[in-house]
Amino acid sequence: MINAKISTMDFQSDDYNKLQKIGIKHFLELCLCVPKNYTDTTIIKELKNDSIGVFEVEILEHSFGRNMLKIGAFLPLFHKPIALIFFHPKPFHKKIFSISSKLFIYGKLQIQFSQLSILQPKVVQQINTISLHFKKPSIKDITLQNLCLKYITMENLQTLPIPKKYFPHIYNIFHPSKDFLHFFFQNKTFPKDSLQALKFIEIFHHISSLSKKRRYFPAKFLCNGEYKDFITSLPFTLTPSQSQAIKDISKDLKNKNAARRIIMGDVGCGKTIVILASVFMTYPYTTILMVPTTILAMQIYEEAKKFLPQYIQIECITSATKSSENTLLENQAHFIIGTQALLYQKIQSKDLALVITDEQHRFGTNQRHQLEKIAQGSLESKPHFLQFSATPIPRTLSMINSNLIDYSFIKDLPFKKDITTKIIHKKDFNSLLTHIQNEIKANHQCVIVYPLVEESEHIDYLSLEQGAPFWQKHFENVFVTFGGDKNKEEILENFRDHGDILLATTLIEVGISLPRLSTIVIIAPERMGLATLHQLRGRVSRNGLKGYCFLYTNNPKSPRLIEFSKHLSGFDIAELDLKYRNGGDLLQGDRQSGESFKFFNMQEDYFLLQEAQALIQKL
């Protein structure tokens, strides 16, 4: 992607070996290895308070105080006296600063009431030089400085395919001017133009590296991608975002390269219909859909039977599927829906054209790998892959990641979400009880999400086990379940049909449709990620019902929760999540959150990302 003359192979062999030890393989990476500080040994020609540099001194006298050595000296250039002060002096100080000796010292000048002084000065051997200091313990400063000065020249910078406006500002970092150093010493950072150049180089190099990682494989099948008959058969109108996502997928399925696309949509945006449209477009070849829960698998199975034409054969495979039912797959169905139980069934890959996962992050690496193996045809070709997710990521991350995978966004909702989010504390408990009683009288349901199943010393909230007796005593039709509950699927179904209150953990975050659910109470929300909170809140108001989300916390003034309560859009929440967690390591995948860029800021520097993307596409 980057056709610069200075690349991994253009460092001299010995230099490349030294740089490789500190993780530098490319010229752009060397440009990003900036000094943490500078030493300017230019002799100071003017006495100014806080001036930092070199002074010529003649030592006159020593005087000792408590834990202090004060050396009286003279500045021949200015014909003025100066005091050199050392706290906790060592014996060698007296020897180095011997009386009558003439030295060059480096330090920060202090002028107070016309008195000149320097604290803890250092003797310098070379004057009129600028030294660069780095934060690389495995390589000496002088070695790295010499490499930077050798390679980071204007001539070499001009070989880079980046805007020329950035060259002088990068050059100045390693060959600093007086004005540059003055700004650095005053502000403890680089000038704005230099910082912007570093940000651009960092994001440009990052997404260029991602572009190299993208791999194209021939598709096993080119599907016709026609979907108009399916759309016209539906008893409702699709949203514009649903229509656009289906159009994107149609184009993918007709492509000779195997698709890799993520379809992101907020909770309740109608992703299931987009999945069914994809199945319709893939027919007569086979589509596999793997989902995280049995309830979700059954819901999609029922929707598929309802909306897909009868000639498309559909099967649903869950943990409840008996081994004797493997024979059902001998005559391969056109649409196979299932949980992880799919991985243990006899599925023929010969006619498999499309693999879909819903909430893929909920599957382990081994499970995803197994699914890929089942789907794999010849080594030369692959089926199309679609991933659906209700956990949107910020526009900055999606734009960066678009170098690895294609994206579609479903931002419109078939039903307008009307959810009131409120932060509550112990004092609000009685009013919460009144609200729940009123909602139950209106034939609505309530879910209460606990942070833990059992009591813990490390959390100042009741557990599910401790809280359940209260609700069971004061309300009827109370159901209780949690992640490790073997009967949780059955309990959730019974609650959906007959329950008033469900006490649960975050297992209800994904894969359950509860049309009568109007209220969710989340206990200890500060312990959960914003994406999880948004998924939980998305369980209510699925069909336009007025919804309520109560965040029950011991920290009601939490800025993070206050901001969350003001936003309903999953895409807004994603930006908010980025603000509090940062973006993680996209290239290596080592970190899911936390700082991954040294200079580039995910929130503030979107315009630089756009500039870098446009340049890479042009290249």
Side-chain angles (χ1 to χ4, degrees):
M1 181 62 67
I2 298 176
N3 297 315
K5 292 179 182 177
I6 302 296
S7 66
T8 56
M9 301 308 295
D10 292 303
F11 291 125
Q12 292 179 5
S13 178
D14 288 347
D15 295 341
Y16 179 67
N17 291 335
K18 292 173 185 174
L19 291 171
Q20 195 176 25
K21 289 179 181 177
I22 56 172
I24 295 175
K25 299 179 181 179
H26 195 284
F27 180 46
L28 286 178
E29 293 169 352
L30 184 61
C31 292
L32 294 170
C33 182
V34 297
K36 68 173 182 178
N37 207 346
Y38 300 88
T39 299
D40 181 4
T41 61
T42 303
I43 294 179
I44 294 292
K45 301 291 176 63
E46 186 178 359
L47 295 178
K48 288 184 178 180
N49 191 41
D50 292 336
S51 296
I52 299 175
V54 171
F55 301 83
E56 184 182 11
V57 297
E58 183 178 346
I59 306 303
L60 301 178
E61 62 180 3
H62 298 160
S63 62
F64 291 90
R66 188 176 180 183
N67 293 322
M68 184 184 78
L69 168 62
K70 183 178 180 181
I71 298 176
F74 183 72
L75 297 171
L77 187 61
F78 304 101
H79 302 286
K80 286 182 177 290
I82 187 170
L84 312 180
I85 299 171
F86 295 89
F87 294 105
H88 305 286
K90 305 295 182 186
F92 67 80
H93 284 118
K94 185 177 178 181
K95 183 177 180 181
I96 292 174
F97 294 89
S98 60
I99 294 174
S100 298
S101 62
K102 294 182 179 180
L103 304 168
F104 290 105
I105 61 168
Y106 179 86
K108 184 175 183 180
L109 180 67
Q110 301 289 322
I111 303 176
Q112 191 171 21
F113 304 115
S114 300
Q115 301 295 311
L116 310 182
S117 64
I118 297 177
L119 300 179
Q120 309 289 139
K122 295 179 181 178
V123 174
V124 295
Q125 304 299 328
Q126 290 184 312
I127 60 171
N128 298 321
T129 63
I130 297 174
S131 301
L132 281 56
H133 306 289
F134 299 86
K135 207 171 183 177
K136 295 287 182 183
S138 56
I139 189 170
K140 292 181 179 179
D141 274 355
I142 188 64
T143 302
L144 190 49
Q145 171 181 291
N146 290 340
L147 289 170
C148 289
L149 298 181
K150 178 179 179 179
Y151 288 104
I152 302 177
T153 64
M154 284 301 293
E155 181 183 1
N156 285 342
L157 285 168
Q158 287 168 1
T159 66
L160 293 174
I162 64 173
K164 292 181 180 179
K165 63 183 179 181
Y166 294 123
F167 296 160
H169 304 301
I170 293 296
Y171 182 84
N172 221 6
I173 293 172
F174 300 92
H175 306 267
S177 64
K178 288 295 179 185
D179 288 341
F180 180 96
L181 286 175
H182 179 73
F183 183 93
F184 181 86
F185 290 138
Q186 290 294 317
N187 300 279
K188 306 302 180 185
T189 187
F190 300 133
K192 181 180 177 181
D193 288 340
S194 291
L195 282 173
Q196 192 150 308
L198 290 170
K199 290 177 177 186
F200 180 85
I201 284 180
E202 184 172 37
I203 192 60
F204 177 81
H205 181 53
H206 187 85
I207 58 181
S208 296
S209 301
L210 286 178
S211 297
K212 293 175 186 176
K213 290 187 73 174
R214 183 162 186 162
R215 297 289 183 267
Y216 293 97
F217 295 93
K220 283 175 68 176
F221 300 102
L222 273 66
C223 307
N224 64 39
E226 295 302 324
Y227 55 86
K228 290 182 180 177
D229 289 347
F230 175 73
I231 301 302
T232 55
S233 71
L234 296 173
F236 47 80
T237 303
L238 298 182
T239 66
S241 292
Q242 285 174 312
S243 299
Q244 184 58 52
I246 292 171
K247 186 177 179 180
D248 293 341
I249 295 167
S250 172
K251 186 177 178 181
D252 287 345
L253 295 177
K254 294 176 181 177
N255 199 306
K256 63 181 181 180
N257 291 322
R260 291 199 78 93
R261 179 176 294 276
I262 291 180
I263 299 90
M264 288 199 157
D266 218 337
V267 179
C269 71
K271 294 188 297 296
T272 299
I273 288 298
V274 179
I275 290 173
L276 299 184
S278 304
V279 174
F280 185 88
M281 290 186 277
T282 305
Y283 177 84
Y285 303 113
T286 300
T287 297
I288 283 183
L289 166 65
M290 190 162 82
V291 299
T293 68
T294 297
I295 286 183
L296 182 56
M298 293 305 300
Q299 284 176 183
I300 295 176
Y301 177 64
E302 294 300 327
E303 295 283 291
K305 288 198 299 182
K306 183 177 178 181
F307 294 116
L308 287 175
Q310 290 186 353
Y311 57 78
I312 294 181
Q313 299 175 37
I314 309 164
E315 298 294 346
C316 186
I317 307 298
T318 68
S319 57
T321 304
K322 297 177 182 178
S323 57
S324 61
E325 292 175 354
N326 286 348
T327 54
L328 291 172
L329 301 180
E330 295 300 327
N331 299 317
Q332 186 105 344
H334 302 116
F335 185 25
I336 303 172
I337 308 161
T339 59
Q340 298 160 28
L342 278 173
L343 304 175
Y344 309 101
Q345 299 292 323
K346 296 177 182 177
I347 298 175
Q348 300 171 15
S349 63
K350 179 169 61 74
D351 294 324
L352 183 55
L354 175 61
V355 176
I356 306 175
T357 56
D358 192 13
E359 298 297 330
Q360 176 170 286
H361 65 279
R362 295 188 166 273
F363 301 114
T365 303
N366 291 338
Q367 292 159 338
R368 294 197 294 266
H369 180 65
Q370 277 183 270
L371 186 63
E372 293 248 3
K373 282 181 67 177
I374 290 172
Q376 182 70 59
S378 68
L379 292 175
E380 294 77 28
S381 65
K382 287 181 178 287
H384 300 287
F385 273 86
L386 301 178
Q387 301 171 31
F388 285 77
S389 176
T391 308
I393 63 174
R395 61 177 182 166
T396 312
L397 288 182
S398 60
M399 193 169 181
I400 293 172
N401 255 352
S402 65
N403 293 278
L404 281 173
I405 198 164
D406 296 309
Y407 278 79
S408 293
F409 298 94
I410 308 177
K411 293 193 175 183
D412 308 311
L413 298 176
F415 300 95
K416 183 181 178 181
K417 288 273 186 178
D418 183 11
I419 305 174
T420 298
T421 304
K422 188 176 180 182
I423 300 171
I424 61 174
H425 192 241
K426 291 178 182 177
K427 62 182 177 60
D428 306 303
F429 188 70
N430 287 334
S431 59
L432 174 65
L433 287 180
T434 302
H435 169 85
I436 292 173
Q437 289 165 349
N438 291 335
E439 289 300 302
I440 291 173
K441 287 177 184 177
N443 197 31
H444 297 158
Q445 294 175 314
C446 172
V447 167
I448 301 170
V449 180
Y450 282 86
L452 294 173
V453 177
E454 297 177 344
E455 183 180 3
S456 170
E457 297 177 356
H458 307 293
I459 177 170
D460 190 25
Y461 292 95
L462 292 180
S463 66
L464 177 63
E465 200 174 67
Q466 292 172 302
F470 172 84
W471 301 102
Q472 290 166 332
K473 178 181 178 181
H474 293 88
F475 293 88
E476 297 179 352
N477 305 319
V478 176
F479 290 77
V480 183
T481 189
F482 52 91
D485 189 347
K486 293 181 180 179
N487 301 318
K488 60 179 178 288
E489 308 281 3
E490 181 183 349
I491 292 170
L492 290 174
E493 288 182 19
N494 287 334
F495 168 71
R496 178 186 60 198
D497 299 332
H498 310 292
D500 291 332
I501 294 178
L502 174 67
L503 311 178
T505 55
T506 56
L507 71 91
I508 66 152
E509 179 187 342
V510 170
I512 180 172
S513 179
L514 301 168
R516 294 193 294 122
L517 182 62
S518 68
T519 300
I520 187 163
V521 181
I522 305 171
I523 299 171
E526 69 274 13
R527 294 175 55 85
M528 301 177 194
L530 295 183
T532 297
L533 291 178
H534 181 65
Q535 288 270 12
L536 290 169
R537 179 172 60 181
R539 296 302 104 201
V540 305
S541 188
R542 290 299 290 263
N543 297 319
L545 182 69
K546 171 62 184 173
Y548 302 89
C549 174
F550 294 97
L551 306 176
Y552 186 94
T553 175
N554 293 336
N555 185 20
K557 294 184 179 179
S558 162
R560 178 172 164 271
L561 294 181
I562 291 171
E563 285 197 65
F564 172 81
S565 67
K566 294 177 181 177
H567 297 279
L568 267 183
S569 164
F571 294 92
D572 290 342
I573 297 300
E575 296 292 336
L576 190 59
D577 207 16
L578 176 63
K579 174 181 175 180
Y580 285 100
R581 293 197 310 151
N582 295 307
D585 187 340
L586 295 172
L587 186 58
Q588 302 299 333
D590 296 332
R591 297 187 298 276
Q592 295 301 312
S593 63
E595 197 65 65
S596 61
F597 292 107
K598 191 175 178 182
F599 305 104
F600 180 78
N601 184 289
M602 287 280 198
Q603 289 183 289
E604 298 173 2
D605 301 323
Y606 186 68
F607 70 101
L608 291 175
L609 171 60
Q610 289 177 308
E611 183 183 5
Q613 282 278 34
L615 179 57
I616 285 173
Q617 290 171 5
K618 183 179 178 182
L619 291 172

